[in-house]
Amino acid sequence: MTEARIRIVFADGKEKRIDLKPGRTLIGRGDGNDIRLRHPSISRTHCEIVHEDDGYVIRDLGSLNGTTVGEQPADGVLLRDGDRIVAGDFTILFEDESAPYARFCDVEIDEEPFSLPADSISLGLDNIVATMARDLNAILKVTAKINAVHDVEELQKALLSEIFEVVPAGSGAIILVDSDFGFAEVVGLDRGRTGGHVNVSRTMINRVLQDRTVILANDIISDARESTPESLAVAGVSSLLCVPMYLFEKVVGAIYLSTSSEAETFDESHLRFMTAIAPIASVAIENARNFSSLQIENVRLKAETLLERNMIGESASMKEVYGFIAKAAPSEATILIEGESGTGKELAARAIVVNSQRKEEPLVIINCATLTENLLESELFGHEKGSFTGATAQKKGKVEIAHGGTLFLDEIGELPLSLQAKLLRVIQERELERIGGVQRIPVDVRIIAATNRDLEEEVKNGTFRQDLFYRLNVMKLRMPPLRERTSDVMVLAETFLNDYARKNGRQLKGFSEKARDMMLRHEYPGNVRELENAIERAVILSSGEWIAAEDLPEEFHRGSGSAGDPSVEIVPLQEGIRSKKKQMIIEAFQKANGSYVDTAKILDVHPNYLHRLIKSLDIKSELEDLSG
């Protein structure tokens, strides 16, 4: 039975698993390959996977776009279970069922005191030889594997997995700490066990971290029964190995290994190996943390760029919006944004935050219209454990999470009166109490609220507190509806057209005159959001190089036809579009003398798209009758 296979991940997210044969498996674009990937990024003969004595080895065969495993060139790399291969534009995952089974699991920190047996090895780092010749190959393998991983948690898992290949540990953990030696990130690995957790002695870890000492302890149960924590005794732990991880004189964590097998205890060669691995792992983890920070910053910058690009419009009303944001953003004033649905109230709020002094702090968003009163209260202000049925743990509310940053309350007009009072207290006193709590928690948040209601009218009707309205209405921004800035309609439409054409792989030149006329005359009750949805739909439905009037939604056609002419028969829109498409295809087919290729050229569509249209319109038999 085949134990190794590859899993090919295609661009559309679909996957295909292929079992590897014992000999040689060729991958390429040509017909002579065992696995054919018909794509321009794949060379005719791209790479090979060969089964050798040690396992499966991958080699690039001089391909144009190359083959890598992780970040390594595939020049004879021994594949391990889970390796990620990149060949051209394809991602290929290697799976090996024969790989030793190990399971990642939770870590339980043992708080009991713990003293070492008398014959334990405890050596200062300065007295340990960093490497030995017999460990060099294993160290190189570990280094290559962990340097290809950029996620901190995945890096910890990869590191433990590689260590388990060298050290006979039954379980282990990597503990990353903060400046006060508090446990920040912990990952545990248990070899072959079906449940439970990894026992970790805090006493030993604290000693390793504080003294920068490597500790190896054998025969723990038999030689130190009275001083051994009960949890370790129950687990049957017989040997422990713990080494610190440090970087530039700063301790960043520890690697903790244990085994309960008396036949496979740790020795000095394992200690030397782990002492050499620890600083390498520290550098890799620091790099992963920096990489993660850069990714977060990159996402933030992209979001800002996208935000600026989506705030589109050169009309007088939009220039007023830009001017308001420029003046209001740097202040700490509470802002109320009013406007119809789809006018971009949240987008304006984000623009204010991006240009504010709190741009580096959290922006927390909550929609007051989407939750029931009880759930909304818990979401806003948090709750204490046991404060109501289902409150199994303490929970911070959105206001508390936004401390130091900005809280955006969308649809503030939907906030129940009882919660309006609590929100008013937060704004006035800058503190809150969780549900079921008695402690007053100070909070520093800037509030931006948005509504599509007339809050002044709501105050008159008694559905919105007047004092809260005055607190929110320090600075007010009105987002103009699209019908008031028709000069921006085509600017927005062209932007959306380019975006969705690119996403759907379409080459579109623009809008027909009739389509432009319809868009300019439409009232847009759904505002910018309605226009964007209409353009996305039109891009998908269009059959030519231009967006035609019939590609726009039905509501754009109302009032644009010949409704006042009694001689014109009115038919349902979709029926009319379907009939028109049939007529156009039949006429083009006749003109092309029965050639589908020439018909597609006349209609200026791809032949594959033409065949799909013919099938969906059910006119294939009519066309066959015409061709004789």
Side-chain angles (χ1 to χ4, degrees):
M1 179 179 178
T2 302
E3 295 183 333
R5 63 179 58 85
I6 59 174
R7 180 155 49 98
I8 303 173
V9 182
F10 296 92
D12 59 0
K14 294 181 180 179
E15 298 180 356
K16 183 175 183 181
R17 284 182 169 83
I18 301 174
D19 292 336
L20 292 175
K21 58 186 182 182
R24 181 189 190 208
T25 301
L26 280 174
I27 300 174
R29 196 177 72 246
D31 292 336
N33 293 280
D34 300 294
I35 299 173
R36 294 193 298 275
L37 299 176
R38 299 189 181 277
H39 192 271
S41 67
I42 300 297
S43 297
R44 188 169 297 278
T45 303
H46 199 97
C47 61
E48 64 175 4
I49 300 177
V50 182
H51 184 259
E52 298 182 353
D53 293 339
D54 294 335
Y56 286 88
V57 174
I58 185 168
R59 295 182 182 88
D60 185 78
L61 299 177
S63 66
L64 180 62
N65 293 311
T67 308
T68 58
V69 180
E71 295 183 353
Q72 271 185 285
D75 53 359
V77 177
L78 179 64
L79 294 173
R80 293 182 179 274
D81 181 48
D83 274 350
R84 183 179 296 269
I85 303 163
V86 176
D89 289 348
F90 287 84
T91 298
I92 303 172
L93 302 177
F94 177 75
E95 298 176 346
D96 186 0
E97 293 181 357
S98 64
Y101 176 74
R103 189 178 67 86
F104 288 100
C105 55
D106 295 333
V107 175
E108 182 172 292
I109 306 301
D110 176 18
E111 302 290 350
E112 300 176 70
F114 175 67
S115 58
L116 297 170
D119 62 348
S120 299
I121 300 173
S122 178
L123 302 174
L125 292 178
D126 294 338
N127 299 321
I128 297 176
V129 178
T131 60
M132 291 187 68
R134 81 183 189 91
D135 295 331
L136 182 58
N137 185 47
I139 291 171
L140 290 174
K141 287 183 178 179
V142 172
T143 303
K145 184 66 176 287
I146 65 177
N147 283 339
V149 181
H150 298 303
D151 178 79
V152 176
E153 183 178 350
E154 291 303 317
L155 179 58
Q156 289 175 271
K157 292 179 179 180
L159 181 60
L160 277 174
S161 298
E162 292 299 317
I163 289 172
F164 272 36
E165 294 292 324
V166 180
V167 182
S171 61
I174 294 179
I175 300 100
L176 303 182
V177 296
D178 56 26
S179 57
D180 298 322
F181 288 166
F183 289 4
E185 297 170 88
V186 181
V187 169
L189 179 61
D190 190 29
R191 190 197 299 268
R193 290 173 61 179
T194 57
H197 49 259
V198 176
N199 285 328
V200 174
S201 168
R202 184 183 289 273
T203 303
M204 174 174 282
I205 292 175
N206 285 342
R207 176 174 175 181
V208 166
L209 296 175
Q210 292 166 4
D211 299 343
R212 299 193 181 192
T213 299
V214 177
I215 295 178
L216 170 62
N218 284 320
D219 299 325
I220 294 174
I221 302 300
S222 59
D223 291 353
R225 289 183 185 274
E226 293 183 1
S227 59
T228 301
E230 181 181 353
S231 57
L232 294 183
V234 171
V237 174
S238 60
S239 296
L240 290 171
L241 174 58
C242 190
V243 298
M245 300 168 64
Y246 54 94
L247 183 68
F248 303 123
E249 301 303 317
K250 176 186 176 183
V251 176
V252 297
I255 305 175
Y256 182 100
L257 304 173
S258 66
T259 179
S260 57
S261 172
E262 296 181 2
E264 294 183 334
T265 57
F266 305 137
D267 57 32
E268 290 188 38
S269 68
H270 300 135
L271 184 144
R272 285 193 298 270
F273 173 73
M274 291 305 303
T275 305
I277 285 297
I280 298 172
S282 301
V283 173
I285 286 173
E286 183 67 16
N287 288 339
R289 281 174 163 170
N290 290 336
F291 183 81
S292 177
S293 297
L294 288 173
Q295 279 189 315
I296 293 171
E297 179 65 9
N298 187 41
V299 169
R300 187 184 69 82
L301 291 173
K302 283 183 177 179
E304 289 183 17
T305 302
L306 182 63
L307 182 66
E308 292 170 0
R309 186 174 62 79
N310 280 349
M311 291 290 288
I312 298 168
E314 294 299 327
S315 61
S317 56
M318 283 305 294
K319 287 179 180 178
E320 289 180 10
V321 170
Y322 302 146
F324 177 92
I325 291 174
K327 293 177 182 178
S331 73
E332 287 292 301
T334 301
I335 296 175
L336 177 63
I337 304 175
E338 294 183 338
E340 299 175 5
S341 296
T343 51
K345 296 188 292 296
E346 182 177 333
L347 204 59
R350 290 182 181 274
I352 291 169
V353 173
V354 165
N355 292 279
S356 74
Q357 297 178 6
R358 298 177 182 248
K359 62 182 178 181
E360 303 295 337
E361 303 302 326
L363 167 62
V364 179
I365 300 173
I366 186 166
N367 190 316
C368 302
T370 59
L371 299 172
T372 63
E373 181 174 346
N374 291 337
L375 287 176
L376 184 57
E377 183 178 12
S378 176
E379 281 294 304
L380 276 172
F381 307 110
H383 61 254
E384 297 291 348
K385 181 179 179 180
S387 57
F388 55 84
T389 303
T392 57
Q394 183 193 78
K395 176 186 175 181
K396 290 184 178 180
K398 298 288 189 183
V399 179
E400 192 174 347
I401 293 172
H403 178 71
T406 306
L407 177 68
F408 177 53
L409 298 170
D410 199 7
E411 304 297 349
I412 188 70
E414 306 294 333
L415 192 67
L417 279 169
S418 59
L419 299 187
Q420 290 178 28
K422 294 193 70 170
L423 178 62
L424 179 64
R425 194 177 310 123
V426 170
I427 297 174
Q428 289 177 331
E429 301 175 10
R430 298 289 175 180
E431 60 183 20
L432 60 83
E433 290 181 9
R434 300 191 189 109
I435 300 174
V438 294
Q439 179 185 2
R440 292 194 170 189
I441 303 167
V443 288
D444 171 26
V445 295
R446 182 186 190 180
I447 293 179
I448 301 176
T451 181
N452 60 5
R453 293 189 177 191
D454 183 345
L455 290 190
E456 291 187 69
E457 190 64 30
E458 298 293 325
V459 169
K460 293 178 183 177
N461 295 335
T463 55
F464 201 86
R465 292 180 63 107
Q466 187 178 47
D467 46 5
L468 177 58
F469 172 70
Y470 289 141
R471 284 286 183 175
L472 295 175
N473 196 35
V474 177
M475 299 186 77
K476 181 163 67 176
L477 169 64
R478 176 181 177 271
M479 294 300 294
L482 193 52
R483 63 181 173 275
E484 292 182 9
R485 55 185 187 109
T486 54
S487 60
D488 292 332
V489 168
M490 292 314 301
V491 178
L492 286 161
E494 294 287 352
T495 302
F496 296 142
L497 175 65
N498 292 333
D499 286 348
Y500 287 109
R502 184 177 63 254
K503 290 177 182 178
N504 290 278
R506 299 293 310 279
Q507 296 291 329
L508 294 170
K509 294 180 178 180
F511 300 92
S512 70
E513 286 299 322
K514 189 173 181 181
R516 293 172 69 91
D517 181 62
M518 281 186 176
M519 287 190 290
L520 289 170
R521 288 190 290 106
H522 188 59
E523 289 293 319
Y524 295 103
N527 293 292
V528 178
R529 188 182 298 125
E530 180 186 359
L531 175 60
E532 181 177 2
N533 292 341
I535 300 302
E536 181 182 9
R537 175 186 184 276
V539 168
I540 295 170
L541 294 180
S542 64
S543 57
E545 292 184 339
W546 299 85
I547 298 295
E550 58 264 26
D551 298 323
L552 295 173
E554 181 179 351
E555 52 269 24
F556 280 69
H557 294 258
R558 292 169 186 161
S560 64
S562 304
D565 185 353
S567 64
V568 177
E569 180 185 359
I570 304 300
V571 297
L573 176 64
Q574 295 303 323
E575 180 184 335
I577 293 174
R578 185 179 180 88
S579 176
K580 181 64 175 177
K581 286 183 177 180
K582 283 184 179 181
Q583 178 186 347
M584 292 174 64
I585 292 173
I586 291 172
E587 289 177 356
F589 189 75
Q590 290 174 322
K591 188 175 181 180
N593 296 320
S595 169
Y596 287 98
V597 173
D598 291 341
T599 301
K601 288 180 180 178
I602 293 171
L603 294 172
D604 197 17
V605 297
H606 194 281
N608 290 343
Y609 182 74
L610 174 63
H611 284 292
R612 288 198 298 271
L613 272 177
I614 291 171
K615 184 177 180 180
S616 65
L617 295 171
D618 193 23
I619 57 173
K620 187 171 180 60
S621 58
E622 293 180 52
L623 297 179
E624 289 176 349
D625 291 341
L626 290 173
S627 61

